[in-house]
Amino acid sequence: MVGTRRWVGVDLGGTWVRVVLADEAGNFVARAQERVDIASSEAISKQMVRLVRFLCSKRGFDAKTLAGVGIASAGPLVQEDGALINPPNLPFPCILLTKPITEELGVPSCLINDCAGAALGEHKFGAAKGHDNFVYTTISTGIGGGIIENGTLLLGKDGNGHEVGHFVIDCEGRLTCGCGRRGHWEAYCSGRNMPNYVRMRVKDLPDRTARESALTRKRGLDLSDLTAADLFEAAKGGDKLSRRLVSEIGLLNAMGFATAINAYDPSLITVGGTVTLKNEDAVLSPIKKHVKDYAINRIPKIMVTPLGEDVVLYGAVAAALKYLS
Ligand SMILES: [Zn+2]
């Protein structure tokens, strides 16, 4: 790698922190992953510094020679301060990231929302190369998005200007979102909240026959331990009720996608996130089928991200290249 500038990408999730060392072309040359150290808010940046130093020493060079460190994390965040503010997945009111990392490593660093980062990563290294109007969506524990409009990444005043997961898709507001508001897309269709949707629907079903399914057979009507994976598994196994619920969730996803299409008029939407990557057809088919019922703009190509589980890491590297070059 002599003569090549080396970059670091960090994907900070609620459970895992993943770090890669990359060259300018976005090739990952080393990677590491650990459970996020939540001993204190300072422990998180210290852990990142340790992992960066570990990867550099593994490749035989000094971390001081790095060109920059890009960190992508779920928000809310204040991009300018390089800090997370009241993140729902981590137990601290404020987590400073870029300041301690830059001080400790002596290299520049930047912070970006994970989905905005993923959009940058897809645009630079993935399927969205050459697309000036592009939406990245993740259906994972939560639902998020990143938008490139007329070639520019949409950020908003604090770097949170793409919270598509909180689009309203149910005006009756039957379910409450993790953010505390009602009727949001994420409250129905994210991995964490999908079981709430199932419980609500099963409770509403008129008779015993309708409720009888692979889901209720094991648990009775107490579905408190149900996961999104259970629902998809039962649907794949041909269970009638599960298939119906998966397609209802697909219809709600189609409303979310249509709203993104109406708002941003993209030529491409790529979709990532664990729920999507593990159930590609069950997630994408109903969206493709129903999105036209709600969208006014010409329907773009909708596809699973080719960057898979690494899309946010590519995004962190792309953010470093964009903001620190
Ligand atoms: Zn919400």
Side-chain angles (χ1 to χ4, degrees):
M1 284 170 68
V2 178
T4 308
R5 306 227 296 161
R6 307 172 188 95
W7 301 86
V8 168
V10 181
D11 172 4
L12 174 63
T15 312
W16 298 98
V17 56
R18 303 200 293 153
V19 182
V20 290
L21 207 56
D23 65 18
E24 215 122 32
N27 301 305
F28 296 172
V29 295
R31 59 197 301 159
Q33 170 172 337
E34 281 185 359
R35 277 188 174 274
V36 180
D37 182 350
I38 50 166
S40 67
S41 71
E42 294 79 24
I44 298 172
S45 59
K46 281 187 183 142
Q47 181 180 30
M48 289 178 186
V49 167
R50 180 170 53 72
L51 289 170
V52 171
R53 286 203 171 120
F54 164 73
L55 291 182
C56 290
S57 75
K58 206 168 139 187
R59 301 298 295 183
F61 64 87
D62 192 332
K64 285 195 189 79
T65 64
L66 286 168
V69 177
I71 305 154
S73 170
L77 52 83
V78 180
Q79 194 167 24
E80 217 172 301
D81 299 342
L84 306 182
I85 306 298
N86 296 318
N89 301 325
L90 294 164
F92 307 106
C94 176
I95 301 170
L96 287 178
L97 292 171
T98 55
K99 194 165 173 273
I101 283 172
T102 292
E103 275 173 11
E104 195 59 38
L105 291 174
V107 299
S109 61
C110 65
L111 175 66
I112 192 162
N113 169 284
D114 53 356
C115 294
L120 279 183
E122 191 81 87
H123 194 244
K124 179 125 189 106
F125 303 117
K129 277 182 205 166
H131 284 265
D132 279 347
N133 296 285
F134 155 70
V135 172
Y136 170 78
T137 311
T138 177
I139 305 176
S140 188
T141 314
I143 291 181
I147 291 105
I148 288 176
E149 189 87 341
N150 299 331
T152 304
L153 179 71
L154 293 189
L155 284 172
K157 63 189 185 313
D158 291 327
N160 303 309
H162 32 62
E163 290 288 3
V164 301
H166 306 271
F167 281 169
V168 176
I169 48 117
D170 177 12
C171 64
E172 289 175 39
R174 290 169 295 166
L175 290 176
T176 304
C177 187
C179 73
R181 307 329 185 249
R182 304 185 75 89
H184 287 178
W185 180 10
E186 180 174 299
Y188 299 72
C189 303
S190 68
R192 183 192 287 134
N193 294 330
M194 220 180 272
N196 292 337
Y197 181 78
V198 174
R199 285 188 279 271
M200 176 183 77
R201 289 289 293 119
V202 168
K203 207 174 78 201
D204 290 350
L205 288 172
D207 56 52
R208 249 186 72 217
T209 345
R211 291 169 175 179
E212 240 172 43
S213 83
L215 302 176
T216 53
R217 213 165 295 137
K218 274 190 256 166
R219 303 174 180 82
L221 286 181
D222 173 25
L223 297 172
S224 54
D225 67 339
L226 184 84
T227 64
D230 295 332
L231 175 68
F232 282 109
E233 195 192 304
K236 271 175 208 161
D239 180 58
K240 231 169 126 185
L241 177 65
S242 302
R243 288 171 70 107
R244 175 172 159 190
L245 293 173
V246 164
S247 80
E248 286 179 16
I249 287 164
L251 188 72
L252 296 169
N253 276 331
M255 292 180 192
F257 274 67
T259 306
I261 292 167
N262 293 339
Y264 307 117
D265 197 15
S267 54
L268 172 71
I269 300 181
T270 67
V271 197
T274 330
V275 171
T276 312
L277 297 173
K278 286 192 176 155
N279 310 284
E280 289 189 10
D281 189 54
V283 171
L284 254 69
S285 293
I287 294 172
K288 288 181 179 172
K289 186 172 165 201
H290 294 294
V291 77
K292 61 179 182 315
D293 303 335
Y294 302 97
I296 181 170
N297 292 332
R298 187 160 52 84
I299 307 301
K301 184 175 181 186
I302 300 171
M303 64 183 280
V304 171
T305 172
L307 302 179
E309 286 180 347
D310 285 342
V311 64
V312 174
L313 282 169
Y314 281 102
V317 173
L321 284 162
K322 179 179 166 71
Y323 296 112
L324 307 174
S325 275

